[in-house]
Amino acid sequence: MALRHINKRTFSCILLIAGFAIVFLYRPLMMTDQAAKKEPYIRQNDLVKMVNRDETRAAYGTTQTMTADLPGTATTQITDMEKRQMMRIQHKNTTCLEMYETKPPSPLTKENLSSQATHSPPKFDTTYFNEDFKFFVSTSWKGGNTNWRKAMRTLYHKTTVKRSNNTRLNDDRDLIFGNLNSDDFNSRIKYFFKVIFVRNPLVRLLSAYRDKIVEQKRVRVSIYRNVASTCVKIYRKGATVEEIESGNATFLEFAQYVSDTYQIKRDPHWYPIFNRLQPCLIPYDFIGKMETMDTDTQYLFKVLKIDDLISIEYAYAHGKSSQIDLLRKYYGTLTK
């Protein structure tokens, strides 16, 4: 592609989107092929427990023998899935220390999380918890939220532990971690198994465009129709009234809109996961990715011993946004 034709506004847009991918979201959470050089605040006890779960190792097969890079631990056999998690967590922790000089606050409380957040206080409105199995999972819009909400709802209804109110789930608000009062939140975030799922930011942005701007088939349609019309009105030279009212915004126009309104229009469907969930402040025990959701969730459910209760299918309207030909098609328009 001929980069010499990029105008100033488009170039700024490309830099911002690239920043999402490299700095603000995926790099702290991506899987690396090499072990981290430093040994930051990794949760040693949790990893030792993870690699010593005989049932899980038997289910996935022990593939190799290696020394867990933790002080005081002996050589142990671990599976590929266990190694994947150790490397992701180690890489996330190292990146947070080296790039942001950030680590979880002490003590780990809702108040400290809010006061030490680098951009805005972490959002827990798409974080779902289960009291019976003592874990929570942080998700995001256009990042598996709908699938996880359904799965956590199913898990709730299948549990047999009696609750104090002796009632069934009335709505999803009872599953949302952020709805807990400070005392309940603080006591659980310390000892619950902490899970986060992320998605490639370029794919996530494209998925949001196709879903909210192109098709406009979901809830709050009028809001996104207005966004689409605004994209055309501001960024299309000589746009007619008919074009503005149609709201047929191109991906370039949408990307420019997101770039220019980044700090103002914090729509959760494209606002960076890094800013919403603050992964550097929360010592997650498990990092999953949409790109490997099938194998990640199968292994996670084994670890949590809920594999016979729920499952998650990686199936939604815009899963194909990750296909390389679509990425080239849409992101190629940013250099015209």
Side-chain angles (χ1 to χ4, degrees):
M1 292 178 282
L3 298 181
R4 61 180 179 273
H5 298 300
I6 301 177
N7 59 42
K8 184 177 181 181
R9 180 182 296 278
T10 303
F11 184 72
S12 298
C13 175
I14 295 173
L15 287 180
L16 177 68
I17 295 175
F20 286 175
I22 298 173
V23 179
F24 290 108
L25 172 62
Y26 213 52
R27 182 176 176 184
L29 299 175
M30 67 186 291
M31 178 180 176
T32 182
D33 293 330
Q34 298 180 347
K37 296 180 180 179
K38 294 186 178 181
E39 183 183 306
Y41 55 90
I42 198 163
R43 299 188 68 187
Q44 301 174 13
N45 291 336
D46 290 327
L47 288 179
V48 171
K49 291 178 182 178
M50 184 178 292
V51 300
N52 285 325
R53 296 197 183 214
D54 294 335
E55 294 180 8
T56 302
R57 290 208 307 275
Y60 283 86
T62 302
T63 59
Q64 58 185 304
T65 300
M66 66 175 290
T67 300
D69 190 18
L70 301 172
T73 59
T75 301
T76 183
Q77 290 183 322
I78 67 172
T79 67
D80 288 341
M81 294 302 296
E82 291 166 340
K83 181 181 179 182
R84 173 188 289 181
Q85 282 305 309
M86 293 175 70
M87 294 175 72
R88 286 181 181 178
I89 293 172
Q90 186 82 343
H91 184 68
K92 189 269 290 187
N93 292 344
T94 300
T95 303
C96 288
L97 282 178
E98 293 183 348
M99 293 189 64
Y100 305 103
E101 298 182 350
T102 304
K103 63 181 181 180
S106 181
L108 187 62
T109 64
K110 178 183 283 189
E111 295 74 20
N112 285 341
L113 288 173
S114 296
S115 64
Q116 296 187 30
T118 54
H119 296 276
S120 60
K123 306 294 184 182
F124 294 98
D125 51 350
T126 55
T127 296
Y128 307 102
F129 74 100
N130 184 273
E131 193 72 31
D132 301 294
F133 293 94
K134 303 295 186 292
F135 79 98
F136 66 77
V137 54
S138 293
T139 68
S140 64
W141 280 283
K142 308 309 299 178
N145 173 63
T146 300
N147 291 337
W148 269 107
R149 185 174 66 248
K150 292 178 180 178
M152 295 297 281
R153 185 191 306 143
T154 299
L155 181 62
Y156 184 101
H157 285 302
K158 287 187 176 181
T159 55
T160 58
V161 178
K162 291 185 178 180
R163 295 169 178 78
S164 58
N165 57 10
N166 199 31
T167 60
R168 305 301 286 173
L169 181 70
N170 292 319
D171 57 57
D172 293 337
R173 288 178 295 181
D174 293 334
L175 301 174
I176 298 175
F177 198 56
N179 287 346
L180 294 173
N181 61 51
S182 293
D183 290 339
D184 290 339
F185 180 98
N186 294 339
S187 65
R188 285 158 179 76
I189 198 172
K190 292 178 181 177
Y191 67 86
F192 269 30
F193 193 80
K194 305 167 187 54
V195 180
I196 184 174
F197 265 79
V198 299
R199 189 181 188 184
N200 184 296
L202 298 181
V203 176
R204 181 169 174 254
L205 183 65
L206 177 57
S207 180
Y209 167 73
R210 295 173 63 203
D211 184 18
K212 303 303 178 184
I213 305 302
V214 176
E215 296 188 2
Q216 300 182 11
K217 292 181 179 179
R218 306 297 176 89
V219 296
R220 302 171 68 192
V221 168
S222 60
I223 294 178
Y224 296 105
R225 183 175 291 122
N226 291 336
V227 170
S229 296
T230 299
C231 292
V232 175
K233 181 179 180 180
I234 297 178
Y235 302 105
R236 186 176 301 177
K237 294 182 179 180
T240 65
V241 174
E242 182 179 0
E243 288 177 325
I244 295 174
E245 292 179 349
S246 71
N248 293 324
T250 66
F251 184 63
L252 172 61
E253 293 163 347
F254 172 68
Q256 291 175 323
Y257 170 83
V258 172
S259 173
D260 289 349
T261 61
Y262 170 63
Q263 292 296 338
I264 302 175
K265 304 293 184 181
R266 297 183 175 182
D267 189 283
H269 295 90
W270 51 78
Y271 193 58
I273 297 175
F274 180 87
N275 293 355
R276 280 188 55 83
L277 302 182
Q278 296 289 330
C280 287
L281 295 179
I282 300 175
Y284 286 106
D285 304 298
F286 188 97
I287 298 173
K289 294 162 53 172
M290 291 292 291
E291 292 76 13
T292 55
M293 173 172 270
D294 288 342
T295 54
D296 284 349
T297 54
Q298 288 173 19
Y299 171 65
L300 174 64
F301 294 162
K302 285 285 185 180
V303 170
L304 296 172
K305 301 185 183 301
I306 58 174
D307 53 301
D308 59 336
L309 296 175
I310 62 172
S311 63
I312 289 184
E313 295 182 1
Y314 183 58
Y316 50 91
H318 298 287
K320 294 183 179 180
S321 293
S322 60
Q323 292 181 353
I324 191 65
D325 56 337
L326 283 178
L327 289 172
R328 287 172 176 168
K329 172 185 175 182
Y330 285 98
Y331 281 95
T333 64
L334 301 186
T335 61
K336 69 176 184 179

